[in-house]
Amino acid sequence: MMTTLHLKLPSSTFPFTVTQCCSNPKEPSYGRMQAASINGNGHAAGAYPASDLLNPQALVMPPPRPRRIILVRHGQSEGNVDESAYTRVPDPKIKLTEMGKAQARECGQRIRKMIEGDGGDDWKVYFYVAPYKRTLQTLEHLGQAFERSRIAGVREEPRLREQDFGNFQDGQKMKLDKAKRIVYGRFFYRFPDGESAADVYDRITGFRETLKADIDKGRFQPPGKQNQNVNLVMVSHGLTIRVFLMRWYKWTVKQFERLHNLGNGNMIVMERGYGGRYSLLVHHSEEELREFGLTDDMLTDQEWQKHAKIGELNYECPMLNSFFPHLENDTAVAERTHEECSHF
């Protein structure tokens, strides 16, 4: 169904007609939400401000968000089966085992089956990959599930690399360092000559801003297309994936420290919900997410993400109580608070 909008402009501008498709009730109205201005209460103040009507570019529908962001941990590596490998081989050069290659191929098939389950025939996959040997090999074998016509592009992204543990590792010293990390705290402990999870968080923050800009500009879209069925796949490392999710959903340090690594060759899926935001609960069950380490509050927030629209703020954010314990039994907290709990 097509709707024709006749816009009456000042005589100094040329007359024109804008034709747009009516939104599918099953799909979020991305254009209207992203073109809208957001007021202080997190609601759209108006689809098109009057001043924008003088600029035809302001009426161009922004590109749809990718349907999914799929985070994949590399397959089993030589270091996963023999930690002494890190004492003689640089971490970036650690390779996959034969089992790791098989895990990657199987993961690729699972991703393809998931995407094909959408029922669309125009789907594409765009890949990000960390620059380590084991992630590049994982992409190579995972990618065998996709013919060229399905691959929208690929980008090597150094900010998705593994946490830096130093250079060649001393096995005995590393055991002591990991024991210290448990006492000091898994997020803040920095390995000598290496990184802490907090350091990884800083570089993932920069990557997230790049990713957001790429999504907003439609850089994953085929030329001249508005494809709703583009999927992003990021091939990375266990801790990096946990930190990426922490940064995206604004989880606390305490919540991060509850999380577990994905198994080798496994994935966690952020899928577009009813309002256009990404939620882990669209693809995964509550049981799967609890096993990964999500708490009741985190699951409640994921349910909100599943239904909320782009630009909305969660003024009933359940994680508020973790900062203000005295509000735990206050049923009116959502009405009284103006604390912001926003998510991209």
Side-chain angles (χ1 to χ4, degrees):
M1 178 178 179
M2 305 296 290
T3 300
T4 301
L5 305 178
H6 299 280
L7 302 178
K8 186 175 181 180
L9 299 177
S11 57
S12 61
T13 61
F14 59 89
F16 62 94
T17 298
V18 178
T19 302
Q20 70 180 67
C21 295
C22 291
S23 61
N24 183 334
K26 293 185 179 180
E27 290 287 351
S29 302
Y30 301 105
R32 289 198 299 275
M33 285 305 302
Q34 292 188 5
S37 60
I38 305 300
N39 67 19
N41 290 324
H43 300 293
Y48 300 106
S51 60
D52 285 348
L53 296 181
L54 301 180
N55 179 11
Q57 293 298 320
L59 297 172
V60 176
M61 299 287 281
R65 285 181 158 198
R67 183 174 289 275
R68 298 179 183 87
I69 300 175
I70 304 165
L71 306 172
V72 176
R73 186 185 177 200
H74 62 80
Q76 184 191 75
S77 73
E78 295 169 341
N80 292 135
V81 296
D82 178 12
E83 289 192 356
S84 70
Y86 296 110
T87 68
R88 58 183 182 273
V89 181
D91 196 357
K93 295 183 179 180
I94 295 286
K95 300 177 182 179
L96 293 184
T97 64
E98 290 305 311
M99 177 179 288
K101 295 174 183 177
Q103 289 172 335
R105 290 191 293 270
E106 194 272 335
C107 183
Q109 291 296 333
R110 282 191 287 133
I111 291 173
R112 180 171 187 129
K113 183 178 180 180
M114 175 177 61
I115 295 172
E116 288 180 335
D118 297 333
D121 60 2
D122 61 344
W123 59 269
K124 300 280 186 180
V125 182
Y126 190 99
F127 294 96
Y128 280 96
V129 61
Y132 280 25
K133 184 69 174 179
R134 55 190 179 273
T135 44
L136 291 168
Q137 286 184 315
T138 298
L139 175 65
E140 175 188 344
H141 290 274
L142 180 154
Q144 292 176 16
F146 305 96
E147 58 271 27
R148 177 64 185 88
S149 62
R150 295 297 185 183
I151 300 174
V154 61
R155 186 183 306 175
E156 182 176 287
E157 177 49 73
R159 289 172 292 184
L160 290 177
R161 69 187 185 275
E162 174 66 292
Q163 179 182 6
D164 189 350
F165 295 99
N167 297 314
F168 290 103
Q169 297 176 18
D170 181 310
Q172 290 302 316
K173 186 174 183 302
M174 184 57 64
K175 289 180 181 178
L176 291 174
D177 287 336
K178 289 183 177 180
K180 290 179 185 177
R181 179 176 61 173
I182 294 174
V183 176
Y184 193 89
R186 289 170 55 203
F187 186 75
F188 293 111
Y189 182 80
R190 179 179 286 116
F191 286 88
D193 302 317
E195 290 182 304
S196 65
D199 295 323
V200 178
Y201 184 98
D202 291 343
R203 58 175 156 89
I204 287 297
T205 295
F207 169 69
R208 176 188 175 278
E209 295 308 307
T210 301
L211 178 63
K212 181 181 183 299
D214 285 348
I215 290 174
D216 290 344
K217 293 178 182 179
R219 286 181 174 158
F220 310 113
Q221 291 291 326
K225 301 290 185 181
Q226 292 281 355
N227 190 336
Q228 297 276 357
N229 296 313
V230 173
N231 296 265
L232 301 186
V233 176
M234 298 183 190
V235 183
S236 187
H237 304 262
L239 178 132
T240 310
I241 289 171
R242 286 183 281 133
V243 169
F244 178 89
L245 292 169
M246 175 193 183
R247 178 62 185 88
W248 189 282
Y249 292 115
K250 298 178 175 60
W251 291 337
T252 67
V253 169
K254 184 177 179 180
Q255 289 166 337
F256 165 82
E257 291 184 337
R258 287 180 49 94
L259 301 177
H260 309 291
N261 269 349
L262 299 174
N264 290 116
N266 281 339
M267 62 182 176
I268 190 162
V269 181
M270 303 163 60
E271 187 164 343
R272 216 169 57 203
Y274 302 107
R277 301 172 79 98
Y278 292 105
S279 171
L280 301 174
L281 272 174
V282 177
H283 177 79
H284 297 283
S285 68
E286 180 180 316
E287 289 71 26
E288 288 176 313
L289 296 179
R290 286 189 185 280
E291 186 176 345
F292 183 57
L294 270 67
T295 63
D296 288 342
D297 286 349
M298 296 162 80
L299 288 167
T300 300
D301 181 65
Q302 287 300 311
E303 186 64 31
W304 178 83
Q305 300 279 351
K306 186 176 176 181
H307 296 274
K309 296 178 181 178
I310 299 169
E312 287 186 342
L313 305 180
N314 186 0
Y315 283 100
E316 298 182 9
C317 179
M319 289 184 280
L320 193 71
N321 291 345
S322 65
F323 293 94
F324 304 108
H326 71 282
L327 300 177
E328 222 168 277
N329 298 318
D330 192 341
T331 58
V333 62
E335 297 175 4
R336 297 203 325 268
T337 185
H338 291 288
E339 292 292 331
E340 177 179 301
C341 186
S342 59
H343 303 270
F344 163 60

